Amino acid sequence: MSNILRSKCAVVGDCTVGKSALIQMFLSDGRNFLKNYNMTCGVELNIKSITIPDTSATVELFLYDSSGRDLYLESLPKYWNEPNMVFAVYDVTSEASFNSVNRWVSMVRDYVPIRGASSAPGVLFANKIDLLERRSVSPKAGAALAEKLGLHYFEGSAKEYSGVEEPFFLLSYEWHKLLTEKRKQFNLIG
Ligand code: GDP
Ligand code: MG
């Protein structure tokens, strides 16, 4: 019996950190890098199905590519419609984008429906590591922030399609695990 689990993932971070590029590369298996900056207006929804190995389950990831512009800030939660997970992105060449992470993550967590929202699966992604010489935020600082916020730390480059899939897979596996445990608690499955 197939078992489709849907999860709503808010992808957030300052403008131009590479949220849309990451999502488009993930959706196209590395074929579609957005070279030019195209401003995201409001929220754009993208969907990708992830099969969970050794199970009959598929996680349908609803990726809400959210604009980092202040103009849209107030309307974002309405589009997310009770998110289940957070995917926060910063650009390793921009300390400002790193400093905004806290604010973005708390904003999403305020709208996670379950109590104890800090347990919602979440990822911190340090993007643009291909820009070696311009890097100003160290892996150590990134990992420390992730730990403080209870997020899984990943780094990579949308441009080079390195490290892009792993965080999305991890979120899907965690979601599957969380729901399976919850169902067991309620005795809905074996
Ligand atoms: P968003 O505003 O967060 O959605 O950012 P975009 O995805 O639109 O990307 C902003 C700009 O950064 C674009 O010109 C992208 O081509 C560029 N970009 C995105 N990811 C990377 C990356 O990993 N490395 C480099 N060098 N540029 C990137
Ligand atoms: Mg965008």
Side-chain angles (χ1 to χ4, degrees):
M1 197 184 76
S2 74
N3 181 8
I4 297 176
L5 310 168
R6 191 163 291 173
S7 184
K8 291 179 274 184
C9 178
V11 183
V12 291
D14 281 0
C15 292
T16 76
V17 296
K19 300 176 294 297
S20 301
L22 275 168
I23 293 174
Q24 291 313 315
M25 285 295 265
F26 179 56
L27 293 178
S28 66
D29 297 317
R31 284 187 286 268
N32 179 27
F33 178 64
L34 306 170
K35 279 194 210 81
N36 301 313
Y37 176 54
N38 240 321
M39 196 169 55
T40 306
C41 298
V43 172
E44 282 165 21
L45 173 61
N46 297 277
I47 304 171
K48 182 149 172 162
S49 296
I50 315 286
T51 327
I52 308 295
D54 306 322
T55 71
S56 59
T58 300
V59 171
E60 214 169 48
L61 270 185
F62 278 51
L63 300 169
Y64 292 90
D65 183 3
S66 312
S67 170
R69 288 187 76 202
D70 283 348
L71 174 66
Y72 298 107
L73 214 52
E74 274 179 33
S75 58
L76 294 180
K78 190 179 73 203
Y79 290 105
W80 298 334
N81 185 23
E82 305 195 330
N84 309 115
M85 43 177 73
V86 57
F87 194 114
V89 185
Y90 68 91
D91 168 354
V92 296
T93 71
S94 155
E95 265 176 76
S97 75
F98 179 69
N99 293 332
S100 301
V101 165
N102 205 337
R103 187 172 58 94
W104 282 112
V105 172
S106 356
M107 181 176 168
V108 178
R109 283 183 168 157
D110 279 349
Y111 292 92
V112 172
I114 46 169
R115 213 183 272 256
S118 57
S119 68
V123 152
L124 178 61
F125 191 88
N127 191 33
K128 305 198 188 182
I129 62 165
D130 56 288
L131 301 173
L132 286 176
E133 270 128 53
R134 287 176 44 200
R135 182 166 188 160
S136 59
V137 186
S138 70
K140 203 171 156 200
L145 177 63
E147 190 175 353
K148 192 178 116 201
L149 297 175
L151 302 170
H152 297 276
Y153 178 71
F154 288 89
E155 54 175 56
S157 160
K159 187 176 179 189
E160 297 185 338
Y161 197 52
S162 68
V164 173
E165 290 180 306
E166 292 82 351
F168 292 106
F169 288 154
L170 176 106
L171 285 177
S172 308
Y173 299 160
E174 291 231 315
W175 185 243
H176 172 255
K177 200 170 81 189
L178 208 88
L179 289 197
T180 311
E181 279 161 11
K182 218 184 246 174
R183 284 183 186 179
K184 274 192 184 138
Q185 268 173 16
F186 290 101
N187 260 337
L188 288 174
I189 55 171

